Amino acid sequence: MPPRYAELRCRSSFSFLEGASHPEELVDRAADLGLEALALADRGGIYGVVRAHARARKRGLPLVVGAEVACDGLGPGTAGLTLLAVDREGYAGLCRLLTEAHAGAPLREGEAPEGTVVRPPTPRFPFLAVAERSRGLVALHAGADAGAAARLRDAFGPRFALTVSRHRAAGEEARIAAVRSLGRRLSVPVAVVNDVHTHERRRQPLQDVLTCVRLGTSVDRVGRRLFPNAERTLKGPEEMARLWPDFPEGLEAAADLAASCTFRLEEIRGEHPLPPVLAGTAAAAGEGARGLDGPVGGMALLRHLVRDGARWRYGGAPPADVERQLARELALVEQLGYESYFLTVWDVVRFARERGILCQGRGSAANSAICFVLGITSIDPVRMGLLFERFLSAERGEPPDIDVDFEHERREEVIQYVYGRYGRDRAGMVCEVISYRARSAIRDVGNALGLAPDQVDRLAKLTGSHDAAGEIPAAVLAQAGLDPEGSPAVRHALRLSAEIAGFPRHLSIHVGGFVITRRPLVETVPGQPAAMAGRTVVQWDKDDLAELGLLKIDLLALGMLTALSRSLALLARHRPAPSGATVDPHPATLAAIPAEETEVYEMISRADTIGVFQIESRAQMSLLPRLRPRRFYDLVISVAIIRPGPIQGGMVHPFLRRRDGREEVRYPYEPLRAVLERTLGIPLFQEQAMRLAVVAAGYTPGEADELRRAMTHKRSH
Amino acid sequence: MSPERGPPRVLAVVVPALPLQRVLRERPPAGALAVVSEGAVCHATAPALAAGVRPGDSLVQARAACAGLDVVPLDAAADRAALRALAEALLSLSPVAEVAFPDAVLLDAAGARLSGSEPEAFERALAERALGLCRHMGFQGRVAVADGKGVALALARHTGRERTRAAPGEGALALAPLPLGALDLPSEVARWLSAVGVESAGALAALPAETLAHRFGAPGAAAGRLSRGVDPRPLVPFAPETFPHERWDLESEVGVLESAEPVIFAAKRLADRVAARLAGRGLGASRLRLTLFLDPRGEERVDLPMARPGADAALWLAPLRERLAGLRLPAPVRALDLAVVEAAEVPAEQLAVGDRPEVTRSLDVALSRLAARLGERSLFAAESADRHRPEAAYRETPFRHGRADRSAGSGSGDGSPEPPPGRPTRLLEPPSPLVALGEGGRLTALRVDGTLRAVVSLSGPERLAGEWWNEPFDRDYYRVRLEGLGEAWIYRDGRDGRLWLHGLFD
């Protein structure tokens, strides 16, 4: 019978500056080795567990969710404890514990300067707090203190186990014997763990470097604070069986414990933690929406609002193609169950408009007719030929992402409205994982390897124009007096800085992302306080939330909206409408500002655009006299064309030539005329790429969106 | 002036006829001998004086009075060096010493006030210790304690007694009978006073104070004050600049030395003086150098590292004897020089209950002899170094008896130190290759240095790997008990699978 083993104690790169493997690497390796399960237990949080979960789902590997904590009051000093979630209740308890423990360590916005080490502090728990939340949790303890073990056994009952590890270090066998003896005396199971810090032994040099960065020292001075060997790595059942011929029951115990932990993060998705349609939303929707409150009424309320909104936008019944589009979108929203999302955003935008706070939806939400008629966005997607699947599709399997800009000076009013509406225990800010980039990587690695400060500076400067230090050509390095062939330290620095790029460096706060949950937030994801009082930041970033289908809205701040608001206010104050006038000649809202004014386009064509939103850069000012925009869509093209995609794709000059009539407008395939006509046969927009896939390659819109995401997606690490 | 803040008490140590004493301390008891300078006798021994030689005689006159007179030229530089050497030794008695050329050292005796109810006893004890140190340095001295350095000097030089003490406030009384020359007055002042019939310190003291001040200004006022036993001038501290060394030119005194034993005897005398000088400065020698000047030319140097810094000449002799015993002198020795090459502060150590200083002393002797016989580099303490690589996990440091080994903690990789792992008592450098013999997958014997030894027991492995940034290593260590050899520490190199013997457990 083949041996069974599950690794119960594993740290990823999200045990900042300790674990030397990404969560995905650990999952892949565990699956390749044939482990029965993997427990990811990072220090002080579950920052990386969603990434591991996503990969584990693809690989079919059971992933146990846990965290490593430091416990006071168990015995003398602070004791390490690994907590694993058995069920949903246990998971909620773990999230609560982690939230309480981080209460005294607020997060700040922004990236820490290069060369500084900012690491989430190790949260410490009083033992009593842990004991109170022991339900649904497995506790693992590596010590041989009988008193501590007895207290843990009393608190956790059969869900407590002692652990032993064998890393071929001096003095280990005595410790193993002591723990096994203690387990027998107290009738506590003893499980084998390997205290994993890397997914493979070859990653140990990077783990050594991380230790040096963490301790603020170099490899020459760190001494025995490094691990004595590379044995704290993932090992498969066969290797573990060879390592523990004297204690096979310890391997079985580990596998059994993992099997008892049945909670999977997927259960959070299953909860569909979208906020209920709150009381008052229907009332706010007006007389006709009375009685449409509650979960059952959510879709009905949305349909009501869409109907009203369409009449408002089109001055009566909308055109047939708009009706069809709205019906299609509503059907998809109902199928995916995202009505609450739209209602939430509508409610926030409604609040802002009632307060006279300028706001506007942006990004892919502009592809939604629902968003248009609800007043969230200002572009008619049907008239503009935009694909709804860019915004939402069944294939994507994640909720939509609506970014709304608000006047930056009044965004706080909106944020406080959200907190007030949903409660501070159900709304929280989204974190951002600041990862190592090329320069910060080479600095920290260079210092850890003991390179001279001027060498580190030179390498960092050279790295600036490359994605990784390892990409710097040898000739360039030689010119800077750096010789990888002749200097092992430089060679190692280049290699390891490439390896560390993308590793999480510290946590920050996303600029405007908010997560709202049905259950108290603290039972879904641990939170940490933000530097600004009264705000909580969850331990997951926007990609993690999207992976689990958690509702996130982005309440962003835009200075230009503040400028516009002030302009409108100044107009109203200094140039009021004459008395008796029936029409106010001056616009009170953005929508009232006349579009397509000739004088404005002439000013723009002269590149007299300093202070004009989106078209005041030097690149824009050099393009505008050539483009000579005459209507709004010309400005759309102007903004779209000065972007990395069209520039690197060589689209700019062909478009300008065709615009000037110096080149014939051609289409490689006649059906593509409808896709590319507005841009003279040159693809400039992501939507056009999607429609090309649909028209020319037969993709469904959902598949076309997947293609677009594959082409453009860049995760935070 | 309150009793607590009285005039400064000074102990003056005078070496009468220092040039003569310096010469005589290196020679066996001398007959008629005179020290001459510029053709005139400065000092003469008792036999020479008995024969009619007088200080001030010309050399011709002196030889005429004493036909067998032995003449030694004055060596002012050597005399000054000898006086400074004495001052170094006397620094052990007082925080401040002043060298008063040509023949005296002045010490701050203010400690008497702090001694409580018996300042006189303190001063007398101080004086005895000063005389003892003089003898240790080869001199017969005279001491005087009084208020102020001028008073003390005058008393020490001119009373003719070996010990003189003027109680506080009684300096004038003590000085009164002394001739005016005892006060070392400026020559103009002395001439005028003599011309007006003032011949003694007492007579000078009787003059109105303003008379001298009016006539001679400040020097005159000072002279008056001195005669009245008042000298508030502070001591000018003497600071030795170099490490001490003592030299003995044997040729004219004992002749050349042709074997080790007499050299050792001669070196002992030098060692006593050097040790006294070091002790005066609170220093201990951690390395000495004995230079043997050969006849007719050439020199041999003997370096003596000490187990620990010290100023005990007796401890130096054992290693010195070891080194000289093995030394083949290519020529007779005509002079020796013993110098301190390295020194360190040696604070006085407080004994704790259970301490056995005699054991410590014996250990120091043994260690110094070992270092002398086996070589300096053979004696060291192994202090833990913070490295996983076993051969780099210790560093050589000078042996310090009784100091706890503050070795760096070993690592768990998480930054928390743990006690260092057990290691063999002896580490082989380089490791010795092994050949393994086995049976049924089990190690049964190892061939060590050509000898086959059965494996009695085996435990391990302990895996040590790392330092990939410099010289990577990857080893699995085993503790193996071998028949006829005991417990050994072996490893299998992970890079090539070879076996090596790295250490032995004693």
Side-chain angles (χ1 to χ4, degrees), chain B residues 221-247:
Chain B
R225 282 197 299 271
L226 182 58
S227 70
R228 288 188 292 277
V230 177
D231 186 358
R233 290 175 299 163
L235 296 179
V236 177
F238 159 69
E241 289 180 2
T242 58
F243 288 147
H245 76 101
E246 291 280 336
R247 183 181 169 113

PDB file of all heavy atoms in Angstrom, chain B residues 221-247:
ATOM      1  N   ALA B 221      60.291  86.179  46.477  1.00  0.00           N
ATOM      2  CA  ALA B 221      59.135  85.859  47.327  1.00  0.00           C
ATOM      3  C   ALA B 221      59.002  84.360  47.485  1.00  0.00           C
ATOM      4  O   ALA B 221      58.717  83.861  48.574  1.00  0.00           O
ATOM      5  CB  ALA B 221      57.867  86.464  46.714  1.00  0.00           C
ATOM      6  N   ALA B 222      59.220  83.643  46.376  1.00  0.00           N
ATOM      7  CA  ALA B 222      59.102  82.185  46.440  1.00  0.00           C
ATOM      8  C   ALA B 222      60.161  81.621  47.374  1.00  0.00           C
ATOM      9  O   ALA B 222      59.890  80.684  48.140  1.00  0.00           O
ATOM     10  CB  ALA B 222      59.222  81.584  45.044  1.00  0.00           C
ATOM     11  N   ALA B 223      61.355  82.162  47.300  1.00  0.00           N
ATOM     12  CA  ALA B 223      62.424  81.667  48.177  1.00  0.00           C
ATOM     13  C   ALA B 223      62.050  81.874  49.631  1.00  0.00           C
ATOM     14  O   ALA B 223      62.304  81.013  50.496  1.00  0.00           O
ATOM     15  CB  ALA B 223      63.728  82.392  47.830  1.00  0.00           C
ATOM     16  N   GLY B 224      61.447  83.025  49.909  1.00  0.00           N
ATOM     17  CA  GLY B 224      61.040  83.284  51.276  1.00  0.00           C
ATOM     18  C   GLY B 224      59.985  82.306  51.745  1.00  0.00           C
ATOM     19  O   GLY B 224      60.024  81.798  52.874  1.00  0.00           O
ATOM     20  N   ARG B 225      59.029  82.083  50.872  1.00  0.00           N
ATOM     21  CA  ARG B 225      57.960  81.148  51.248  1.00  0.00           C
ATOM     22  C   ARG B 225      58.538  79.760  51.497  1.00  0.00           C
ATOM     23  O   ARG B 225      58.162  79.066  52.445  1.00  0.00           O
ATOM     24  CB  ARG B 225      56.902  81.090  50.152  1.00  0.00           C
ATOM     25  CG  ARG B 225      55.940  82.279  50.138  1.00  0.00           C
ATOM     26  CD  ARG B 225      54.698  81.936  49.312  1.00  0.00           C
ATOM     27  NE  ARG B 225      55.050  81.642  47.927  1.00  0.00           N
ATOM     28  CZ  ARG B 225      55.122  82.573  46.970  1.00  0.00           C
ATOM     29  NH1 ARG B 225      54.899  83.837  47.250  1.00  0.00           N
ATOM     30  NH2 ARG B 225      55.451  82.227  45.729  1.00  0.00           N
ATOM     31  N   LEU B 226      59.440  79.356  50.647  1.00  0.00           N
ATOM     32  CA  LEU B 226      60.016  78.019  50.790  1.00  0.00           C
ATOM     33  C   LEU B 226      60.723  77.893  52.131  1.00  0.00           C
ATOM     34  O   LEU B 226      60.591  76.892  52.829  1.00  0.00           O
ATOM     35  CB  LEU B 226      60.973  77.741  49.632  1.00  0.00           C
ATOM     36  CG  LEU B 226      61.628  76.351  49.610  1.00  0.00           C
ATOM     37  CD1 LEU B 226      60.569  75.250  49.566  1.00  0.00           C
ATOM     38  CD2 LEU B 226      62.565  76.217  48.416  1.00  0.00           C
ATOM     39  N   SER B 227      61.456  78.898  52.490  1.00  0.00           N
ATOM     40  CA  SER B 227      62.172  78.829  53.780  1.00  0.00           C
ATOM     41  C   SER B 227      61.201  78.730  54.932  1.00  0.00           C
ATOM     42  O   SER B 227      61.540  78.197  55.990  1.00  0.00           O
ATOM     43  CB  SER B 227      63.080  80.043  53.934  1.00  0.00           C
ATOM     44  OG  SER B 227      62.288  81.215  54.122  1.00  0.00           O
ATOM     45  N   ARG B 228      60.026  79.213  54.752  1.00  0.00           N
ATOM     46  CA  ARG B 228      59.015  79.116  55.804  1.00  0.00           C
ATOM     47  C   ARG B 228      58.179  77.847  55.653  1.00  0.00           C
ATOM     48  O   ARG B 228      57.150  77.690  56.296  1.00  0.00           O
ATOM     49  CB  ARG B 228      58.100  80.347  55.764  1.00  0.00           C
ATOM     50  CG  ARG B 228      58.790  81.611  56.268  1.00  0.00           C
ATOM     51  CD  ARG B 228      57.805  82.763  56.412  1.00  0.00           C
ATOM     52  NE  ARG B 228      57.314  83.225  55.127  1.00  0.00           N
ATOM     53  CZ  ARG B 228      57.959  84.081  54.332  1.00  0.00           C
ATOM     54  NH1 ARG B 228      59.144  84.568  54.692  1.00  0.00           N
ATOM     55  NH2 ARG B 228      57.456  84.471  53.179  1.00  0.00           N
ATOM     56  N   GLY B 229      58.596  76.943  54.772  1.00  0.00           N
ATOM     57  CA  GLY B 229      57.915  75.653  54.640  1.00  0.00           C
ATOM     58  C   GLY B 229      56.661  75.714  53.789  1.00  0.00           C
ATOM     59  O   GLY B 229      55.776  74.867  53.929  1.00  0.00           O
ATOM     60  N   VAL B 230      56.586  76.705  52.913  1.00  0.00           N
ATOM     61  CA  VAL B 230      55.388  76.851  52.071  1.00  0.00           C
ATOM     62  C   VAL B 230      55.798  76.682  50.608  1.00  0.00           C
ATOM     63  O   VAL B 230      56.603  77.462  50.091  1.00  0.00           O
ATOM     64  CB  VAL B 230      54.733  78.233  52.292  1.00  0.00           C
ATOM     65  CG1 VAL B 230      53.547  78.393  51.348  1.00  0.00           C
ATOM     66  CG2 VAL B 230      54.284  78.380  53.739  1.00  0.00           C
ATOM     67  N   ASP B 231      55.264  75.697  49.966  1.00  0.00           N
ATOM     68  CA  ASP B 231      55.552  75.488  48.539  1.00  0.00           C
ATOM     69  C   ASP B 231      54.306  74.898  47.874  1.00  0.00           C
ATOM     70  O   ASP B 231      54.111  73.685  47.872  1.00  0.00           O
ATOM     71  CB  ASP B 231      56.738  74.541  48.347  1.00  0.00           C
ATOM     72  CG  ASP B 231      57.142  74.418  46.865  1.00  0.00           C
ATOM     73  OD1 ASP B 231      56.474  75.038  45.996  1.00  0.00           O
ATOM     74  OD2 ASP B 231      58.116  73.701  46.562  1.00  0.00           O
ATOM     75  N   PRO B 232      53.449  75.787  47.354  1.00  0.00           N
ATOM     76  CA  PRO B 232      52.182  75.287  46.809  1.00  0.00           C
ATOM     77  C   PRO B 232      52.266  74.754  45.369  1.00  0.00           C
ATOM     78  O   PRO B 232      51.269  74.393  44.791  1.00  0.00           O
ATOM     79  CB  PRO B 232      51.289  76.539  46.847  1.00  0.00           C
ATOM     80  CG  PRO B 232      52.233  77.661  46.638  1.00  0.00           C
ATOM     81  CD  PRO B 232      53.551  77.242  47.256  1.00  0.00           C
ATOM     82  N   ARG B 233      53.450  74.714  44.804  1.00  0.00           N
ATOM     83  CA  ARG B 233      53.564  74.329  43.392  1.00  0.00           C
ATOM     84  C   ARG B 233      53.057  72.890  43.200  1.00  0.00           C
ATOM     85  O   ARG B 233      53.415  72.003  43.979  1.00  0.00           O
ATOM     86  CB  ARG B 233      55.005  74.403  42.914  1.00  0.00           C
ATOM     87  CG  ARG B 233      55.571  75.815  42.785  1.00  0.00           C
ATOM     88  CD  ARG B 233      57.036  75.764  42.416  1.00  0.00           C
ATOM     89  NE  ARG B 233      57.817  75.073  43.437  1.00  0.00           N
ATOM     90  CZ  ARG B 233      59.053  74.604  43.228  1.00  0.00           C
ATOM     91  NH1 ARG B 233      59.633  74.777  42.055  1.00  0.00           N
ATOM     92  NH2 ARG B 233      59.693  73.991  44.217  1.00  0.00           N
ATOM     93  N   PRO B 234      52.290  72.691  42.159  1.00  0.00           N
ATOM     94  CA  PRO B 234      51.807  71.315  41.931  1.00  0.00           C
ATOM     95  C   PRO B 234      52.886  70.451  41.304  1.00  0.00           C
ATOM     96  O   PRO B 234      53.834  70.974  40.706  1.00  0.00           O
ATOM     97  CB  PRO B 234      50.651  71.512  40.940  1.00  0.00           C
ATOM     98  CG  PRO B 234      51.022  72.741  40.182  1.00  0.00           C
ATOM     99  CD  PRO B 234      51.776  73.622  41.150  1.00  0.00           C
ATOM    100  N   LEU B 235      52.735  69.165  41.445  1.00  0.00           N
ATOM    101  CA  LEU B 235      53.658  68.243  40.786  1.00  0.00           C
ATOM    102  C   LEU B 235      53.400  68.263  39.279  1.00  0.00           C
ATOM    103  O   LEU B 235      52.257  68.397  38.837  1.00  0.00           O
ATOM    104  CB  LEU B 235      53.467  66.814  41.315  1.00  0.00           C
ATOM    105  CG  LEU B 235      53.784  66.602  42.797  1.00  0.00           C
ATOM    106  CD1 LEU B 235      53.522  65.144  43.182  1.00  0.00           C
ATOM    107  CD2 LEU B 235      55.233  66.950  43.080  1.00  0.00           C
ATOM    108  N   VAL B 236      54.472  68.149  38.539  1.00  0.00           N
ATOM    109  CA  VAL B 236      54.345  68.037  37.082  1.00  0.00           C
ATOM    110  C   VAL B 236      54.312  66.542  36.754  1.00  0.00           C
ATOM    111  O   VAL B 236      55.329  65.856  36.902  1.00  0.00           O
ATOM    112  CB  VAL B 236      55.531  68.719  36.377  1.00  0.00           C
ATOM    113  CG1 VAL B 236      55.419  68.536  34.868  1.00  0.00           C
ATOM    114  CG2 VAL B 236      55.595  70.189  36.753  1.00  0.00           C
ATOM    115  N   PRO B 237      53.180  66.013  36.321  1.00  0.00           N
ATOM    116  CA  PRO B 237      53.066  64.552  36.176  1.00  0.00           C
ATOM    117  C   PRO B 237      54.037  63.990  35.151  1.00  0.00           C
ATOM    118  O   PRO B 237      54.268  64.575  34.097  1.00  0.00           O
ATOM    119  CB  PRO B 237      51.619  64.345  35.703  1.00  0.00           C
ATOM    120  CG  PRO B 237      50.907  65.600  36.065  1.00  0.00           C
ATOM    121  CD  PRO B 237      51.922  66.684  36.012  1.00  0.00           C
ATOM    122  N   PHE B 238      54.570  62.888  35.511  1.00  0.00           N
ATOM    123  CA  PHE B 238      55.465  62.152  34.631  1.00  0.00           C
ATOM    124  C   PHE B 238      54.648  61.082  33.919  1.00  0.00           C
ATOM    125  O   PHE B 238      53.919  60.319  34.548  1.00  0.00           O
ATOM    126  CB  PHE B 238      56.579  61.514  35.475  1.00  0.00           C
ATOM    127  CG  PHE B 238      57.261  60.351  34.804  1.00  0.00           C
ATOM    128  CD1 PHE B 238      58.077  60.553  33.699  1.00  0.00           C
ATOM    129  CD2 PHE B 238      57.118  59.055  35.284  1.00  0.00           C
ATOM    130  CE1 PHE B 238      58.720  59.483  33.082  1.00  0.00           C
ATOM    131  CE2 PHE B 238      57.763  57.988  34.676  1.00  0.00           C
ATOM    132  CZ  PHE B 238      58.555  58.211  33.575  1.00  0.00           C
ATOM    133  N   ALA B 239      54.752  61.067  32.575  1.00  0.00           N
ATOM    134  CA  ALA B 239      54.014  60.072  31.788  1.00  0.00           C
ATOM    135  C   ALA B 239      55.006  59.279  30.969  1.00  0.00           C
ATOM    136  O   ALA B 239      55.600  59.806  30.032  1.00  0.00           O
ATOM    137  CB  ALA B 239      53.007  60.762  30.879  1.00  0.00           C
ATOM    138  N   PRO B 240      55.219  58.049  31.308  1.00  0.00           N
ATOM    139  CA  PRO B 240      56.158  57.254  30.518  1.00  0.00           C
ATOM    140  C   PRO B 240      55.664  57.116  29.082  1.00  0.00           C
ATOM    141  O   PRO B 240      54.472  56.910  28.856  1.00  0.00           O
ATOM    142  CB  PRO B 240      56.159  55.879  31.204  1.00  0.00           C
ATOM    143  CG  PRO B 240      55.369  56.020  32.433  1.00  0.00           C
ATOM    144  CD  PRO B 240      54.574  57.270  32.356  1.00  0.00           C
ATOM    145  N   GLU B 241      56.543  57.269  28.152  1.00  0.00           N
ATOM    146  CA  GLU B 241      56.112  57.257  26.754  1.00  0.00           C
ATOM    147  C   GLU B 241      56.226  55.888  26.125  1.00  0.00           C
ATOM    148  O   GLU B 241      55.471  55.530  25.248  1.00  0.00           O
ATOM    149  CB  GLU B 241      56.971  58.247  25.950  1.00  0.00           C
ATOM    150  CG  GLU B 241      56.643  59.691  26.290  1.00  0.00           C
ATOM    151  CD  GLU B 241      57.508  60.643  25.496  1.00  0.00           C
ATOM    152  OE1 GLU B 241      58.313  60.160  24.679  1.00  0.00           O
ATOM    153  OE2 GLU B 241      57.391  61.845  25.706  1.00  0.00           O
ATOM    154  N   THR B 242      57.177  55.160  26.507  1.00  0.00           N
ATOM    155  CA  THR B 242      57.404  53.887  25.821  1.00  0.00           C
ATOM    156  C   THR B 242      57.281  52.742  26.809  1.00  0.00           C
ATOM    157  O   THR B 242      57.258  52.947  28.020  1.00  0.00           O
ATOM    158  CB  THR B 242      58.803  53.840  25.191  1.00  0.00           C
ATOM    159  OG1 THR B 242      59.755  54.051  26.244  1.00  0.00           O
ATOM    160  CG2 THR B 242      58.946  54.940  24.153  1.00  0.00           C
ATOM    161  N   PHE B 243      57.174  51.564  26.259  1.00  0.00           N
ATOM    162  CA  PHE B 243      57.188  50.383  27.105  1.00  0.00           C
ATOM    163  C   PHE B 243      58.580  50.253  27.731  1.00  0.00           C
ATOM    164  O   PHE B 243      59.595  50.563  27.101  1.00  0.00           O
ATOM    165  CB  PHE B 243      56.870  49.131  26.291  1.00  0.00           C
ATOM    166  CG  PHE B 243      55.421  49.043  25.869  1.00  0.00           C
ATOM    167  CD1 PHE B 243      55.080  48.456  24.664  1.00  0.00           C
ATOM    168  CD2 PHE B 243      54.407  49.528  26.672  1.00  0.00           C
ATOM    169  CE1 PHE B 243      53.758  48.363  24.276  1.00  0.00           C
ATOM    170  CE2 PHE B 243      53.081  49.448  26.282  1.00  0.00           C
ATOM    171  CZ  PHE B 243      52.756  48.855  25.073  1.00  0.00           C
ATOM    172  N   PRO B 244      58.625  49.752  28.960  1.00  0.00           N
ATOM    173  CA  PRO B 244      59.919  49.710  29.640  1.00  0.00           C
ATOM    174  C   PRO B 244      60.878  48.674  29.046  1.00  0.00           C
ATOM    175  O   PRO B 244      60.439  47.661  28.503  1.00  0.00           O
ATOM    176  CB  PRO B 244      59.551  49.334  31.082  1.00  0.00           C
ATOM    177  CG  PRO B 244      58.223  48.685  30.988  1.00  0.00           C
ATOM    178  CD  PRO B 244      57.525  49.261  29.818  1.00  0.00           C
ATOM    179  N   HIS B 245      62.129  48.967  29.131  1.00  0.00           N
ATOM    180  CA  HIS B 245      63.132  47.945  28.872  1.00  0.00           C
ATOM    181  C   HIS B 245      64.335  48.233  29.763  1.00  0.00           C
ATOM    182  O   HIS B 245      64.591  49.377  30.144  1.00  0.00           O
ATOM    183  CB  HIS B 245      63.517  47.888  27.393  1.00  0.00           C
ATOM    184  CG  HIS B 245      64.432  49.000  26.958  1.00  0.00           C
ATOM    185  ND1 HIS B 245      65.803  48.818  26.791  1.00  0.00           N
ATOM    186  CD2 HIS B 245      64.176  50.280  26.661  1.00  0.00           C
ATOM    187  CE1 HIS B 245      66.337  49.971  26.407  1.00  0.00           C
ATOM    188  NE2 HIS B 245      65.382  50.859  26.315  1.00  0.00           N
ATOM    189  N   GLU B 246      65.050  47.197  30.114  1.00  0.00           N
ATOM    190  CA  GLU B 246      66.230  47.304  30.980  1.00  0.00           C
ATOM    191  C   GLU B 246      67.395  46.604  30.286  1.00  0.00           C
ATOM    192  O   GLU B 246      67.240  45.531  29.698  1.00  0.00           O
ATOM    193  CB  GLU B 246      65.966  46.648  32.345  1.00  0.00           C
ATOM    194  CG  GLU B 246      64.958  47.395  33.201  1.00  0.00           C
ATOM    195  CD  GLU B 246      65.568  48.592  33.896  1.00  0.00           C
ATOM    196  OE1 GLU B 246      66.816  48.607  34.113  1.00  0.00           O
ATOM    197  OE2 GLU B 246      64.815  49.524  34.225  1.00  0.00           O
ATOM    198  N   ARG B 247      68.530  47.202  30.414  1.00  0.00           N
ATOM    199  CA  ARG B 247      69.720  46.663  29.740  1.00  0.00           C
ATOM    200  C   ARG B 247      70.818  46.478  30.765  1.00  0.00           C
ATOM    201  O   ARG B 247      70.957  47.253  31.716  1.00  0.00           O
ATOM    202  CB  ARG B 247      70.160  47.627  28.643  1.00  0.00           C
ATOM    203  CG  ARG B 247      71.344  47.126  27.835  1.00  0.00           C
ATOM    204  CD  ARG B 247      71.739  48.152  26.791  1.00  0.00           C
ATOM    205  NE  ARG B 247      73.025  47.767  26.202  1.00  0.00           N
ATOM    206  CZ  ARG B 247      73.151  47.385  24.915  1.00  0.00           C
ATOM    207  NH1 ARG B 247      72.118  47.373  24.111  1.00  0.00           N
ATOM    208  NH2 ARG B 247      74.354  47.047  24.459  1.00  0.00           N
TER     209      ARG B 247
END
